[in-house]
């Protein structure tokens, strides 16, 4: 019998963290051996996600790399933008594989990241080391990588649809329009006026027009595939549905 890969999830109490856990629990070759939270160590994950009460019974660990290393082989960072920049070096230096769910390592240019994400970028060496985890397109690079930056939900959907056309040179790379829709859970678990039930229920509206941080991510990947500088018109909308994101792991 093969030994399962042991996985730790940092940021387990957020929507992304819970989705990572759900995906991993369905994987036949992975065991979730540590759920980690900086805000509520020692509590039960089921306190925030009752549907996991009979599935994940371990209490939340604190963010302690030495403890995590004893329990896991790979670490998923399901943390907010800007947090992964600070957290990722330690588990990597400890010899753990890291898969970052945030956008902190998707863009190779620190200047572009700071412009769109409004956070201090990671060290250039780590930006260079991170492998962009769009496995359907860059599978050879993803295979065996120790540090993977998981693509965003909009870039995944957009790029997979456009990649064959870009690679063949069948479209104008400076005249691409992406009209994207998402449910409200894609905004995460934090509260805001725009994600309040009374504001979003049965509503439909564009947000972050010409400012969405996934714009340069899509352009970066399509530029790489086509060999031409890519410029897109990217407009995102919130639509009246709850589930607003997907996570894929190979």
């Amino acid at each position: 019998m093969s030994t399962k890969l042991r996985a730790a999830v940092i940021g387990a109490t957020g929507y992304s963290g819970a989705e990572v856990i759900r995906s991993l629990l369905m994987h036949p070759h992975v065991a979730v051996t540590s759920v980690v939270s900086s805000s509520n160590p020692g509590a039960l994950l089921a306190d925030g996600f009752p549907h996991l009460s009979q599935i994940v019974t371990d209490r939340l660990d604190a963010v302690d790399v030495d403890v995590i290393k004893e329990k896991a082989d790979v670490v998923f960072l399901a943390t907010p933008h800007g947090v992964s920049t600070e957290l990722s070096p330690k588990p990597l230096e400890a010899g753990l594989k890291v898969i970052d769910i945030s956008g902190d390592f998707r863009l190779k240019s620190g200047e572009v990241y700071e412009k769109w994400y409004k956070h201090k970028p990671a060290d250039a060496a780590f930006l260079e080391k991170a492998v962009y985890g769009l496995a359907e397109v860059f599978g050879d690079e993803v295979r065996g990588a120790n540090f993977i930056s998981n693509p965003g939900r909009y870039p995944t959907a957009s790029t997979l649809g456009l990649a064959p056309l870009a690679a063949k040179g069948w479209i104008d790379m400076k005249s691409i329009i992406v009209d994207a829709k998402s449910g409200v859970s894609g905004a995460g678990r934090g509260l805001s006026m725009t994600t309040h039930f009374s504001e979003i229920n049965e509503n439909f509206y564009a947000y972050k027009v010409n400012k969405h941080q996934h714009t340069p991510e899509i352009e970066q990947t399509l530029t790489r595939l086509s060999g031409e500088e890519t410029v897109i018109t990217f407009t995102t909308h919130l639509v009246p549905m709850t589930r607003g994101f997907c996570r894929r792991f190979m």
Side-chain angles (χ1 to χ4, degrees):
M1 181 180 295
S2 60
T3 302
K4 289 188 175 183
L5 185 71
R6 301 175 303 161
V9 179
I10 298 179
T13 56
Y15 283 155
S16 292
E19 185 69 5
V20 170
I21 292 168
R22 187 189 69 83
S23 299
L24 295 177
L25 289 172
M26 295 189 294
H27 200 297
H29 304 302
V30 177
V32 178
T33 54
S34 177
V35 286
V36 183
S37 171
S38 62
S39 61
N40 207 15
L44 291 171
L45 184 63
D47 290 344
F49 296 104
H51 66 290
L52 296 174
S53 60
Q54 303 299 316
I55 302 172
V56 180
T57 58
D58 292 343
R59 293 189 177 274
L60 293 163
D61 290 328
V63 183
D64 186 324
V65 172
D66 292 332
V67 172
I68 294 171
K69 186 177 180 181
E70 292 298 318
K71 294 185 175 184
D73 308 301
V74 59
V75 174
F76 289 81
L77 295 177
T79 51
H81 305 312
V83 176
S84 292
T85 295
E86 303 297 328
L87 288 182
S88 58
K90 290 184 179 180
L92 286 168
E93 291 166 359
L96 291 162
K97 294 181 182 294
V98 173
I99 300 177
D100 180 41
I101 309 300
S102 81
D104 284 0
F105 298 94
R106 295 172 187 163
L107 300 175
K108 292 302 181 183
S109 168
E111 291 182 2
V112 174
Y113 171 86
E114 189 167 11
K115 174 184 175 181
W116 288 85
Y117 281 84
K118 312 304 180 186
H119 289 290
K120 180 181 177 181
D123 185 272
F126 286 98
L127 293 177
E128 182 62 31
K129 184 177 181 178
V131 172
Y132 189 63
L134 193 63
E136 294 87 346
V137 179
F138 305 117
D140 289 341
E141 297 177 16
V142 173
R143 189 179 298 109
N146 292 323
F147 187 21
I148 297 173
S149 177
N150 200 66
R153 64 190 190 280
Y154 285 134
T156 295
S158 303
T159 304
L160 290 182
L162 292 166
L165 304 176
K168 292 294 185 179
W170 290 347
I171 53 177
D172 183 348
M173 302 308 296
K174 290 184 172 61
S175 184
I176 296 173
I177 298 173
V178 178
D179 180 17
K181 311 293 192 296
S182 174
V184 71
S185 69
R189 207 173 188 184
L191 303 178
S192 70
M193 181 59 72
T194 55
T195 60
H196 190 281
F197 177 85
S198 300
E199 299 293 328
I200 188 58
N201 183 51
E202 299 183 0
N203 201 353
F204 186 111
Y205 68 92
Y207 70 99
K208 290 187 177 180
V209 178
N210 296 324
K211 297 179 181 179
H212 200 287
Q213 69 272 13
H214 286 172
T215 302
E217 183 180 342
I218 299 170
E219 291 178 341
Q220 174 181 269
T221 305
L222 292 178
T223 295
R224 180 179 175 187
L225 291 172
S226 66
E228 299 179 34
E229 182 181 358
T230 301
V231 178
I232 69 171
T233 299
F234 181 55
T235 306
T236 56
H237 302 78
L238 276 179
V239 298
M241 63 181 182
T242 300
R243 198 162 183 82
F245 59 88
C246 64
R247 299 295 181 201
R248 310 163 312 111
F249 305 106
M250 303 302 291

